[in-house]
């Protein structure tokens, strides 16, 4: 619970202020770079891998929830009652976390034309 | 012109119109090819590992992130399974897709059975193992991976699928902590053994080179699950912990891959999840020998065919590095920097050369394994997995 509170306290000003920060193209572009460096070993944007696809995540979580999960995956996993957590805490700057969250959320079905069926890993066939 | 002269002219004319290499069989054998995954381009590049030259490429296979390859027993066909669940049968003589079928939405691995008649795939989504005819790719069986526990049904992703002697298939259930054994030689492909609570979250599996011992790595347990496929009488534990010593844990940015687990000099060299070391233990009885400290968190640890060296690559900040561990001294003998983001390594059948994919450099680097000098740099777009056709004749793969 301590880490969960901490993660909420760590939410960036942009998150707390509301708005549509997650649609910022520069943030999304930086998020793709963060994904390529830190996340690609376990996640695929559109197909279930060791971790869930970003399309699956984006269809079920808000941008702020995604942000908080990146900050403190173990605490959020416990909060949700998952049997175990496999996602590590990855040292990232606030800017990188925000960008990664925006990039993940950019795969939300139907919002930006990426389309696909999240329950089918977005495979679409 | 006499009859002999006319015949000679006709023969010359034949070869003039049908140049050498008109059919694939005349171009190359398939015993020592490297099939290299183009991770972003949706295809594979096929390389002759005798001359280290590119023979050609095959495109349009699917999403190649974590694509995996097994081979028909005659090594003519490569079975390429893609992340988005396409099973492609690629003809290595004419470099064309002979057939393809959708086998899942998220597929992680495959293997060809001992008798060479079936190809089995392991899926994350749907949570099952499926078996196909190698000739037609007709679906023969779907084996749902489910566990009934405390009144609920737990569907599980399947991993670590291998073929084993006795025409068996062995695989692990990632979300249900199980190992199952399928008899691929009997009608209906029955699951003949189910072992539960082998450890928390199996993430991959490998079969020893003699085909007897199956080992599953566990993401949340500090041991490996070990199954004797001769006896099939239970799963034992092989500890990865070093007695009296602990190592720092690091974020796991890429899960170790066990198909690269190494057997060398009677020992197994295992990458430890989130730790900068290989754990070494005796293959015969699982006794811990020692740890080999490394530059980073290991992904693959691949033994040279003669067992004298183990080549290791890493995730995260050390992804540009390869370290070569000497199996005699159990220490790092060489450190190589082939390029950006090393994804995979494979040896030629007798190990005189090593192929290394430098993903971010768009190159596959070929090393002389004795001198560690570069022999060749092949330009291949975003290369990842490298699969030698010599795998056609090895258990497990």
């Amino acid at each position: 619970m301590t880490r969960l509170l901490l993660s909420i306290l760590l939410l960036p000003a942009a998150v707390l202020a509301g708005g549509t920060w997650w649609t910022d193209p520069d943030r999304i572009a930086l998020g793709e770079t963060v994904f390529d460096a830190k996340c690609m070993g376990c996640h695929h944007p559109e197909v279930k891998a060791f971790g869930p696809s970003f399309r699956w995540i984006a269809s079920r979580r808000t941008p702020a929830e995604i942000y908080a999960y990146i900050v403190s995956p173990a605490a959020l996993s416990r909060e949700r009652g998952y049997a175990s957590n496999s996602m590590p805490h990855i040292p990232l700057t606030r800017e990188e976390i925000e960008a990664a969250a925006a990039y993940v959320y950019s795969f939300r079905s139907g919002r930006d034309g990426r389309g696909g069926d999240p329950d089918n890993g977005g495979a679409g066939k | 012109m006499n009859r002999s002269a006319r015949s000679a002219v006709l023969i010359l004319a034949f070869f003039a119109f049908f140049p050498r290499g008109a059919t694939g069989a005349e171009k190359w054998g398939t015993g020592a090819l490297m099939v290299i995954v183009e991770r972003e381009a949706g295809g594979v590049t096929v390389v002759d590992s005798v001359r280290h030259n590119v023979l050609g490429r095959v495109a349009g296979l699917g999403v190649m992130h974590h694509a995996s390859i097994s081979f028909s027993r005659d090594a003519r066909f490569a079975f390429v399974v893609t992340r988005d669940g396409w099973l492609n049968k690629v003809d290595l003589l004419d470099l064309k897709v002979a057939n393809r079928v959708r086998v899942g939405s998220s597929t992680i691995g495959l293997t060809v059975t001992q008798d060479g008649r079936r190809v089995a795939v392991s899926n994350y989504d749907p949570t099952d193992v499926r078996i196909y005819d190698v000739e037609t790719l007709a679906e023969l069986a779907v084996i749902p991976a489910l566990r009934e526990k405390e009144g609920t049904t737990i569907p599980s992703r399947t991993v670590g699928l291998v073929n084993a002697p006795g025409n068996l298939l062995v695989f692990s259930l990632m979300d249900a902590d199980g190992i199952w054994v399928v008899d691929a030689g009997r009608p209906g492909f029955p699951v003949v053994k189910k072992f539960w609570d082998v450890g928390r979250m199996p993430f991959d599996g490998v079969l020893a080179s003699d085909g007897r011992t199956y080992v599953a790595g566990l993401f949340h347990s500090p041991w490996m699950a070990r199954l004797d496929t001769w006896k099939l009488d239970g799963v034992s534990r092989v500890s990865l912990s070093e007695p009296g010593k602990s190592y720092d844990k690091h974020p796991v940015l890429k899960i170790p891959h066990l198909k690269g687990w190494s057997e060398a000099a009677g020992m197994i060299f295992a990458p430890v999840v989130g730790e900068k070391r290989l754990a070494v233990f005796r293959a015969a009885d699982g006794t811990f020998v020692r740890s080999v400290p490394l530059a980073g968190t290991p992904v693959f640890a691949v033994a040279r065919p003669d067992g004298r060296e183990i080549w290791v690559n890493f995730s995260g900040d050390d992804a540009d590095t390869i370290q070569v561990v000497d199996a005699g001294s159990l220490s790092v003998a060489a450190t190589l920097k082939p390029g950006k983001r090393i994804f995979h390594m494979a040896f030629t059948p007798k190990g005189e050369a090593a192929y290394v994919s430098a993903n971010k450099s768009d190159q596959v680097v070929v090393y002389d394994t004795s001198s560690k000098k570069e022999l060749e740099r092949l330009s291949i777009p975003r290369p990842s997995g490298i699969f030698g056709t010599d795998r056609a004749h090895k258990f497990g793969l």
Side-chain angles (χ1 to χ4, degrees):
Chain A
M1 180 58 80
T2 305
R3 291 202 66 175
L4 177 61
L5 289 172
L6 184 63
S7 69
I8 292 169
L9 290 172
L10 286 172
L11 287 173
V15 175
L16 295 173
T20 56
W21 58 275
W22 56 87
T23 63
D24 176 6
D26 291 339
R27 278 198 181 95
I28 293 172
L30 175 61
E32 185 169 8
T33 303
V34 174
F35 160 74
D36 187 59
K38 306 288 186 181
C39 315
M40 54 77 69
C42 294
H43 290 278
H44 186 279
E46 302 189 42
V47 184
K48 181 191 286 184
F50 186 73
S53 72
F54 291 165
R55 189 182 300 283
W56 186 94
I57 295 168
S59 69
R60 289 161 174 78
R61 307 278 184 262
T62 66
E65 286 174 322
I66 296 167
Y67 180 96
Y69 209 101
I70 297 169
V71 171
S72 187
L76 268 292
S77 179
R78 280 195 299 274
E79 287 291 314
R80 294 185 180 279
Y82 294 161
S84 62
N85 169 60
S86 300
M87 180 163 157
H89 169 71
I90 300 170
L92 297 170
T93 66
R94 278 192 181 197
E95 183 187 21
E96 289 172 331
I97 297 169
E98 192 178 303
Y103 178 63
V104 171
Y105 195 74
S106 75
F107 286 89
R108 187 175 177 84
S109 291
R111 192 186 62 76
D112 59 0
R114 291 184 197 255
D117 174 8
D119 290 328
N120 191 29
K125 293 178 182 177
Chain B
M1 191 180 288
N2 63 29
R3 187 169 180 173
S4 297
R6 277 201 306 273
S7 298
V9 170
L10 284 172
I11 290 169
L12 286 172
F14 176 86
F15 282 105
F17 280 104
F18 297 93
R20 228 162 49 85
T23 66
E26 292 168 345
K27 289 181 184 170
W28 54 76
T30 60
L33 302 182
M34 293 288 187
V35 183
I36 301 171
V37 171
E38 300 169 359
R39 192 172 187 270
E40 310 300 334
V44 293
T45 295
V46 180
V47 176
D48 175 355
S49 77
V50 177
R51 298 167 189 83
H52 310 307
N53 63 312
V54 173
L55 299 175
R57 61 186 302 270
V58 184
L61 303 180
V63 176
M64 300 300 278
H65 294 206
H66 209 290
S68 189
I69 301 174
S70 288
F71 297 94
S72 62
R73 188 154 53 178
D74 60 6
R76 173 169 177 175
F77 295 99
F79 295 99
V80 183
V81 77
T82 67
R83 172 99 268 176
D84 59 340
W86 284 100
L87 176 62
N88 300 273
K89 183 178 178 180
V90 175
D91 190 330
L92 295 174
L93 291 184
D94 63 13
L95 302 186
K96 290 179 179 170
V97 178
N99 198 358
R100 70 195 302 249
V101 61
R102 193 86 190 267
V103 300
S105 295
S106 174
T107 304
I108 191 70
L110 80 170
T111 191
V112 173
T113 53
Q114 182 191 25
D115 65 8
R117 298 174 61 206
R118 318 295 184 204
V119 55
V121 302
S122 54
N123 281 323
Y124 278 1
D125 185 12
T127 53
D128 57 29
V129 163
R130 298 180 180 215
I131 300 174
Y132 297 83
D133 183 279
V134 294
E135 298 296 334
T136 64
L137 296 190
E139 186 177 277
L140 303 175
V142 176
I143 303 170
L146 304 170
R147 181 178 187 179
E148 302 296 332
K149 188 177 182 182
E150 298 169 357
T152 61
T153 300
I154 304 169
S156 176
R157 291 171 287 179
T158 59
V159 290
L161 174 66
V162 302
N163 73 88
N167 222 22
L168 301 178
L169 295 168
V170 186
F171 62 94
S172 296
L173 287 78
M174 179 185 275
D175 305 305
D177 300 340
I179 295 175
W180 286 10
V181 181
V182 172
D183 189 339
R186 284 167 54 185
F189 308 98
V191 180
V192 294
K193 289 285 183 179
K194 295 180 179 181
F195 301 99
W196 296 118
D197 298 317
V198 300
R200 290 186 61 212
M201 200 174 183
F203 62 85
D204 201 358
V206 66
L207 194 70
S209 58
D210 64 2
R212 176 166 180 174
T213 305
Y214 177 81
V215 177
L218 303 159
F219 197 80
H220 292 299
S221 296
W223 67 84
M224 297 183 298
R226 187 168 182 262
L227 173 66
D228 185 337
T229 64
W230 286 13
K231 298 177 179 176
L232 296 178
D233 59 351
V235 172
S236 59
R237 295 181 179 183
V238 177
S239 176
L240 289 170
S241 301
E242 181 171 335
K245 189 167 183 179
S246 63
Y247 288 81
D248 291 339
K249 282 287 185 184
H250 301 272
V252 180
L253 300 183
K254 191 167 178 60
I255 311 298
H257 284 54
L258 308 191
K259 289 291 191 297
W261 276 15
S262 292
E263 269 183 286
M267 295 174 283
I268 300 285
F269 295 76
V272 181
V273 176
E275 296 184 17
K276 294 183 176 182
R277 67 182 175 109
L278 292 181
V280 185
F281 54 93
R282 294 188 207 290
D285 57 10
T287 305
F288 184 85
V289 176
R290 61 165 292 178
S291 297
V292 179
L294 298 168
T297 53
V299 179
F300 283 100
V302 184
R304 210 169 72 180
D306 63 351
R308 187 167 177 179
E309 294 178 343
I310 297 89
W311 289 41
V312 186
N313 72 324
F314 306 97
S315 62
D317 294 339
D318 304 292
D320 297 348
T321 300
I322 285 177
Q323 290 197 304
V324 180
V325 174
D326 179 76
S329 64
L330 298 182
S331 61
V332 173
T335 297
L336 307 174
K337 296 281 187 180
K340 295 177 182 175
R341 189 178 280 175
I342 307 307
F343 261 156
H344 202 206
M345 303 155 293
F347 293 95
T348 52
K350 290 192 176 180
E352 79 283 1
Y355 277 59
V356 175
S357 58
N359 175 264
K360 287 281 191 179
S361 298
D362 292 317
Q363 288 181 324
V364 167
V365 184
V366 185
Y367 281 98
D368 179 318
T369 55
S370 295
S371 66
K372 308 295 182 291
K373 291 181 178 172
E374 288 185 25
L375 297 172
E376 198 69 63
R377 278 185 177 258
L378 306 172
S379 293
I380 295 172
R382 292 290 188 269
S384 58
I386 304 174
F387 299 84
T389 49
D390 60 327
R391 296 162 73 101
H393 309 117
K394 294 178 180 175
F395 283 119
L397 302 175

